[in-house]
Amino acid sequence: MSTTNTAPIKWAQRSDSIYLTIDLRDVKDETIKLTDTELTFVGKSQDKSYEMSIEFFKPVDSEGSKYNVLPRSVQMNIMKKIEDEGEEEAEFWPRLLKDKALEKNQVKIDWNRYVDEDEEDEAGGFDTSNLDGGSGMGGMPPGMGGMGGMPGMGGMPGMGGMPGMGGMGGMPGMGGMGGMPGMGGMGGMPGMEGMDMEALMKQMGDMKQGEGMGDDDEDDGDDDGDDFDDLPELEETDKKE
C-alpha cells in the first residue's frame, strides 16, 4: 500500500503577489489547480506520491497567475486580488494560509526572495524569469502543465505562401506580361503583312505623275491661244484681192 506525502512549500510576498514554491525535484504526473481561494497539488517525485491542499489568507487572482514545472521544483507567481474598490493595490499579508496552525507545520519562508514590507520599493518585484514558457493557472483543467502555447501552432505549417504560387511574380503562362500575346510588336496595320511595298511606292509615284500631266495640258491651252492671236485677219486679205 502506497503512502501519500504532504508536499513541502515555501513562500515570499510583495504587496501585489506571492511567489510560492513546491519544493520537490523531478515532478511528474502532476495535477495543479488554483482557484481564487485555494490551491491543490497532486504529483510524483522520485517515485513517491505527494499532495497538498491549502486555503489562502485572502482571495487571489487565479486568472492572472502562472506556474512552471522545473527540474528542481514547481514555482508559481500568484497575484493577490484587490477586494475593496477604494484600494489602489493589495497589501502585505501576515501569513499565507487562513489556517494559522496548519501554516506552522506545512509552510516555510523563502528567505532568498523575502523582503520586509518597508523594503519593497528598494528591492523591487519578483524575478519571474523561471516562469517564462510556463502555464497560466486560471481556469486550466488539472494536468495541463506546459500549455504555454498550443503544440504545433507556431505559424501554421505550410502557410508561408500558397503552394505552387511562386511568390505571385506573375500569372502562370503570362511570361511576365512583356506584351499581349500575338501582338508581335504592332509592326504594321492588320492585313498588310503580304503587301509589296515597292509596288505600292511605284503606284503612288504614278499617281503623282498623272497629276503633273494635267498641269501641262492647261499650259498648252494657253500657248495655243497665243498662236491664234498671231494669225492674219482673213477678211482684210479678201478685200485687197
Side-chain angles (χ1 to χ4, degrees), residues 188-200:
M189 295 295 291
M192 297 187 68
E193 292 85 350
M195 292 201 63
D196 187 342
M197 295 303 296
E198 182 178 356
L200 179 62

Side-chain angles (χ1 to χ4, degrees), residues 53-92:
S53 179
I54 60 174
E55 183 178 3
F56 294 109
F57 178 75
K58 285 186 175 183
V60 298
D61 180 10
S62 59
E63 295 291 336
S65 303
K66 58 183 178 178
Y67 75 95
N68 201 4
V69 180
L70 303 171
R72 297 172 64 90
S73 63
V74 179
Q75 298 184 16
M76 308 178 186
N77 187 34
I78 302 171
M79 304 305 295
K80 296 178 181 178
K81 178 176 286 187
I82 299 176
E83 296 183 275
D84 299 331
E85 295 182 359
E87 294 182 3
E88 295 183 359
E89 60 181 17
E91 58 185 9
F92 264 64

Side-chain angles (χ1 to χ4, degrees), residues 31-158:
T31 298
I32 301 172
K33 183 178 180 181
L34 176 70
T35 70
D36 287 355
T37 57
E38 297 180 344
L39 172 66
T40 59
F41 165 84
V42 176
K44 292 183 177 180
S45 173
Q46 299 178 344
D47 297 327
K48 293 182 180 180
S49 297
Y50 291 89
E51 65 179 18
M52 173 200 65
S53 179
I54 60 174
E55 183 178 3
F56 294 109
F57 178 75
K58 285 186 175 183
V60 298
D61 180 10
S62 59
E63 295 291 336
S65 303
K66 58 183 178 178
Y67 75 95
N68 201 4
V69 180
L70 303 171
R72 297 172 64 90
S73 63
V74 179
Q75 298 184 16
M76 308 178 186
N77 187 34
I78 302 171
M79 304 305 295
K80 296 178 181 178
K81 178 176 286 187
I82 299 176
E83 296 183 275
D84 299 331
E85 295 182 359
E87 294 182 3
E88 295 183 359
E89 60 181 17
E91 58 185 9
F92 264 64
W93 295 355
R95 58 182 183 272
L96 176 64
L97 306 184
K98 195 168 187 178
D99 187 333
K100 188 175 182 180
L102 184 61
E103 179 156 355
K104 290 182 178 179
N105 298 325
Q106 192 171 350
V107 180
K108 295 181 180 180
I109 300 296
D110 185 350
W111 296 108
N112 291 330
R113 296 181 174 89
Y114 173 86
V115 297
D116 286 329
E117 183 174 1
D118 55 2
E119 297 175 348
E120 180 180 10
D121 291 341
E122 182 178 351
F126 290 119
D127 177 5
T128 59
S129 58
N130 285 341
L131 303 178
D132 291 344
S135 303
M137 302 185 72
M140 297 298 294
M144 294 298 284
M147 289 293 289
M150 293 296 290
M153 291 296 286
M156 293 296 289

Side-chain angles (χ1 to χ4, degrees), residues 17 23 34 41 51 63 70 74 80 110 118 142 163 165 168 180 186 203 220 239-240:
S17 63
D23 202 7
L34 176 70
F41 165 84
E51 65 179 18
E63 295 291 336
L70 303 171
V74 179
K80 296 178 181 178
D110 185 350
D118 55 2
M165 292 301 284
M168 292 300 288
M180 293 297 290
M186 292 297 290
Q203 184 178 356
D220 291 344
K239 291 178 179 182
K240 291 180 180 180

